Amino acid sequence: MTDFTFYTVAMSRGQISRWALHEAGADYKQIVMDWESRPESFKTINPMNKVPTLVHHHGDHDHTVTEAAAINHYLAETHPDKNLLPDTHEKASYFRWLFFASGPLEQAIMSRAMGWEVPEDKSGMAGFGSVELTLDTLENWLAGNDFAAGGRFTMADTYVGSQVVWGLQFGSIEARPAFEAYGARLTDRSAYHAAKDIDAKLIAEAASSG
Ligand SMILES: N[C@@H](CCC(=O)N[C@@H](CS)C(=O)NCC(=O)O)C(=O)O
């Protein structure tokens, strides 16, 4: 049996965690689903019925992890030899930007995609403040730092970077030089390509059969 079972749908946020699986060199088997034919039983693993979902087969018991950011960090924790965890001095930035990307940045991108407007006098109530403020804040960091945790790639970049790369690709983040340069640094990685190739193949197969 493999160490992990990875539940995914090809064209989904599952791609974020597949990248992490490949950065970690994890021993995993995939269960590729499509939205319509997701088995009811999947809800017993993730009641949100969402992907990515990861199950860690750990000795005589299983651990389920959901939420792409949590999954990616969990993979770094379970593969410490891969040097994807932050060192003492990188920890603050690592967690800051990992949570920033899965909280404020995700909300900002989603609010833009959905056309949700935060009234100006209510921006203090919204965790992301405003789309502009969120993007300016991340841009400011990336203009002075090559990666989320500082000067080197860590697992935080698989999540922060996925948000940036997807945002640029789908136009929910405007092309700013710091975002584009960051995206280029990340998409150059062999683990990124290995993961991307698998999902691209699955997407092509689904398109040709449907
Ligand atoms: N907060 C979750 C979001 C996961 C999510 O929304 N996944 C979508 C695909 S991109 C999904 O599974 N949607 C299917 C559904 O809700 O029925 C995460 O970051 O992992």
Side-chain angles (χ1 to χ4, degrees), residues 9 11-17 33 35 38 42 46 48-53 66-71 102 106 110 159 163 166:
V9 169
M11 190 61 203
S12 77
R13 288 174 176 86
Q15 292 187 31
I16 303 173
S17 290
M33 305 184 290
W35 304 127
R38 262 173 302 177
F42 179 59
N46 183 355
M48 290 290 282
N49 210 18
K50 283 185 179 288
V51 296
T53 293
T66 68
E67 303 308 314
I71 291 171
S102 60
E106 159 87 17
M110 194 49 61
Y159 189 86
Q163 292 280 23
W166 278 60

Side-chain angles (χ1 to χ4, degrees), residues 58-77:
H58 191 222
D60 61 357
H61 53 273
D62 288 345
H63 301 292
T64 298
V65 197
T66 68
E67 303 308 314
I71 291 171
N72 292 16
H73 180 72
Y74 187 83
L75 286 165
E77 289 279 357

